[in-house]
Amino acid sequence: MYKGNNFTKLSEEYAKARRAGRREFMLNASTGKESYLPALEDIIENVEIVKEEEIGLIQLPLEKIQGTYYHSRALSFSRTFKPLFDENTEFSQKWINLLKIQYDEGIREPIEVYEYLNWYYVVEGNKRVSVLKYLGAYSISAKVTRLIPKWDENNKEIRLYYEFLDFNKKTGLVEIWFTEEGRFKEFYDIIKNHKVHDELIDNKYKDFINEYFLPFKKHFDNLNGEKLDITPADAFLRYLKKFGKTLPPSDKELKNKVKVILKEIEDERSPESGSIWDISKIFVPSGKKLKVAFIYNTKIKDSAWTYSHELGRRYVQEEFHNDIETKYFQDVNSKEEYDKIMQQLGKEDYKIVFTTSFDFLGENKKNKFQNVKFVHFSGYNTKENINSYFGRLYEPRYLAGILAGIKTKTNVIGYVAPFGIPEVVMGIDAFALGAKSVNTDAHVEISWTNTWNNREYERKSAEYLINQKNADVLTHHQDSCEVIKVAAENNLYSIGYHYDMSGTYDKVLTSVVWNWGKYYSRIIDDVLQGSNFSFFDLFGGSNEIEKFWGGMKSGIVDIAEMGKDVNPQTKTMIESIKKSIVEELYHPFTGPIKDNKGMLRIERNTQISDENLYNIDWYVDNVDFE
């Protein structure tokens, strides 16, 4: 399956995994922490083991695998099983071969582990664990031998472990661990009468974990519950006591209930300090709906950009239909009209206004409605009640470029673009870098329209790229779908923009999309929970409250589902590279990168800074235009 360039891609994945491992190793070393994997033979050196018990073969969650057994093996990996050996070593080749096996058919051979205090240490299969952890797998088949330490009345951890042994013998569960004595019995008493809904399920306790605990744990992890020095099971037991053995009908409601549990625990531990979610609130009277307005500078039907935001508005209206009221204004293109709308929104007590065009920034900066929070598209010089937002569009552009580079036969990819501003330039460059990564002969030909939305210009530009430049794949950075329409008329592959265009036009490989619904949903949910209107905890990015520049990790930007003309191998490769970008193991603008005048712009193994991306005005060496 993996030959030639595809094997090269696997090698590049190893290099990314190793770079991540080296970064983790150096960070731990610089802060005085252990840098290598924990080794069980070191941990139990002075521990009296009274019994070895063969547990047999189980499906073991990878997060329970903490280290290796042998000290010598520990030196091959960082603290979280990332590889440390150089490329072109026997170790790296074995790791790459396992990665290939996982992609081709899945790693099936069980590993061998020792269990000690409900943590697991690998005797045989360290590289298999490393590969699967790198890919984000959930579990692995493992043959387990349990090492039981001597009872110690004065050791709380051992007392807890003996409680766990009794619980584990009854249930077979390893996912659960509590920090206080007595909780294993409490938990067992709650779940022992669980009824399965499928007669084919032979372990009712595993069914309970899958149905109830894992959905809860997902939100616990995303909300950084471990910062409270509790385990997911500690918080889950509290949830069961408060809300009963039921889950809310929606994932959003479950998340909110997890927040309630964590807030209660936090308040109990620091009763005089405010909640991590309770800072500067937007006040919404009890029983009233939160009012949210959207202002568009074009008609919805005339602009794919505006339509993508309208899809976001519809998304949140559906999701929060009982809690919010939304209103939109379209084709707002004069100061007078904008002022009139703002006066109206102020009188009607709207709390959040999403302004989706750069045109509105100057007016937002002058606003007098201090009870209104303005969230402004692509802004700068923000003030207290104005946040700005945009997305790292270059990330999905890079992935789209890879598809274009694979699909082109003429090695000419056409790109219709409005203006040479940084927002557009970084997208062009990332797209071209993606194409070049899989096809060194591919180049990107630009045709400028000097307007965001003019269907006639966009059509003529697309036809020019096809007829004069021999382009056989087209994409664009325009507000309409005209370029994709022209590609379909000429039976050429295309890559859409703003939203998934495959349902409207033929031969769309994918689309670079904005998921505004996810963005708006998180902000609105944050406000409804009485938060401080910050992007920090919501999106896991910078703690700079005023600006949000989220990438694929935040879910705000992405590529749409790849079409039927993209083969499974290519889809797998794209998803793997996407995962590396999301996990910040790879940056599309990693040197060496030269511009189209031959100047070295980014040094080898160096990544471009955000500041330079904000101001980028040069094109990579496979971009051409007249």
Side-chain angles (χ1 to χ4, degrees), residues 294-300 303 305-306 309 329-334 337-338 355-360 377 452-453 479:
F294 296 76
I295 301 180
Y296 310 139
N297 70 333
T298 64
K299 292 181 179 179
I300 295 170
S303 168
W305 166 257
T306 297
H309 285 279
F329 302 85
Q330 60 179 323
D331 204 22
V332 179
N333 48 39
S334 71
E337 186 176 11
Y338 180 85
T355 57
T356 62
S357 169
F358 191 84
D359 301 343
F360 304 128
F377 158 70
W452 290 107
N453 192 348
D479 278 6

Side-chain angles (χ1 to χ4, degrees), residues 485-583:
K485 184 178 180 181
V486 172
E489 291 170 356
N490 288 270
N491 197 34
L492 298 178
Y493 290 122
S494 65
I495 294 167
Y497 176 44
H498 295 304
Y499 62 90
D500 185 358
M501 295 180 173
S502 62
T504 307
Y505 300 102
D506 294 330
K507 306 202 75 171
V508 178
L509 297 172
T510 188
S511 295
V512 174
V513 298
W514 294 98
N515 293 320
W516 293 121
K518 291 184 179 180
Y519 170 83
Y520 294 143
S521 174
R522 296 184 200 183
I523 294 296
I524 291 170
D525 184 53
D526 194 35
V527 172
L528 289 172
Q529 297 305 313
S531 182
N532 67 331
F533 201 65
S534 166
F535 300 121
F536 179 51
D537 289 325
L538 295 176
F539 298 99
S542 167
N543 60 358
E544 182 179 359
I545 292 177
E546 295 87 359
K547 298 177 182 178
F548 171 71
W549 198 29
M552 291 190 295
K553 182 178 181 179
S554 72
I556 304 309
V557 292
D558 207 340
I559 58 170
E561 182 177 352
M562 288 171 273
K564 63 181 184 300
D565 292 313
V566 181
N567 65 42
Q569 294 90 340
T570 298
K571 289 180 180 180
T572 298
M573 179 182 68
I574 295 289
E575 288 299 328
S576 174
I577 297 170
K578 173 182 172 180
K579 184 175 186 294
S580 296
I581 295 173
V582 166
E583 294 182 352

Side-chain angles (χ1 to χ4, degrees), residues 130-150:
S130 178
V131 167
L132 290 176
K133 278 181 175 277
Y134 169 74
L135 294 174
Y138 176 73
S139 64
I140 188 171
S141 181
K143 181 181 178 183
V144 181
T145 301
R146 172 170 288 155
L147 302 180
I148 302 178
K150 182 180 180 181

Side-chain angles (χ1 to χ4, degrees), residues 55 166 299 415 550 616:
I55 303 301
D166 180 63
K299 292 181 179 179
Y415 200 122
I616 193 168

Side-chain angles (χ1 to χ4, degrees), residues 369-421:
F369 301 103
Q370 296 306 309
N371 63 323
V372 178
K373 296 291 185 180
F374 290 81
V375 189
H376 173 73
F377 158 70
S378 190
Y380 57 89
N381 294 334
T382 56
K383 59 184 292 183
E384 183 178 354
N385 63 331
I386 304 175
N387 289 2
S388 63
Y389 62 97
F390 196 60
R392 295 182 183 271
L393 202 64
Y394 63 85
E395 293 180 351
R397 288 280 191 201
Y398 180 83
L399 301 180
I402 293 174
L403 279 177
I406 290 172
K407 283 297 186 180
T408 182
K409 302 299 182 185
T410 65
N411 291 324
V412 181
I413 304 164
Y415 200 122
V416 178
F419 307 99
I421 60 174

Side-chain angles (χ1 to χ4, degrees), residues 390-394 397 415 421-431 549 589 610 612-616 618-619:
F390 196 60
R392 295 182 183 271
L393 202 64
Y394 63 85
R397 288 280 191 201
Y415 200 122
I421 60 174
E423 170 195 334
V424 176
V425 174
M426 73 175 75
I428 291 172
D429 282 349
F431 183 89
W549 198 29
F589 287 89
D610 280 355
N612 287 333
L613 272 175
Y614 291 147
N615 299 288
I616 193 168
W618 50 270
Y619 300 87

Side-chain angles (χ1 to χ4, degrees), residues 369 476 602:
F369 301 103
H476 68 101
I602 305 176

Side-chain angles (χ1 to χ4, degrees), residues 112-174:
E112 295 181 19
V113 301
Y114 278 123
E115 180 256 291
Y116 176 68
L117 299 181
N118 198 28
W119 289 107
Y120 298 79
Y121 301 85
V122 181
V123 178
E124 182 62 39
N126 289 288
K127 285 186 283 293
R128 278 169 271 169
V129 171
S130 178
V131 167
L132 290 176
K133 278 181 175 277
Y134 169 74
L135 294 174
Y138 176 73
S139 64
I140 188 171
S141 181
K143 181 181 178 183
V144 181
T145 301
R146 172 170 288 155
L147 302 180
I148 302 178
K150 182 180 180 181
W151 169 260
D152 185 348
E153 178 66 35
N154 299 314
N155 187 319
K156 180 181 178 181
E157 188 173 30
I158 290 180
R159 296 199 307 268
L160 283 169
Y161 181 64
Y162 271 74
E163 287 191 12
F164 163 79
L165 291 177
D166 180 63
F167 173 81
N168 176 257
K169 282 181 170 59
K170 293 175 180 176
T171 65
L173 299 179
V174 301

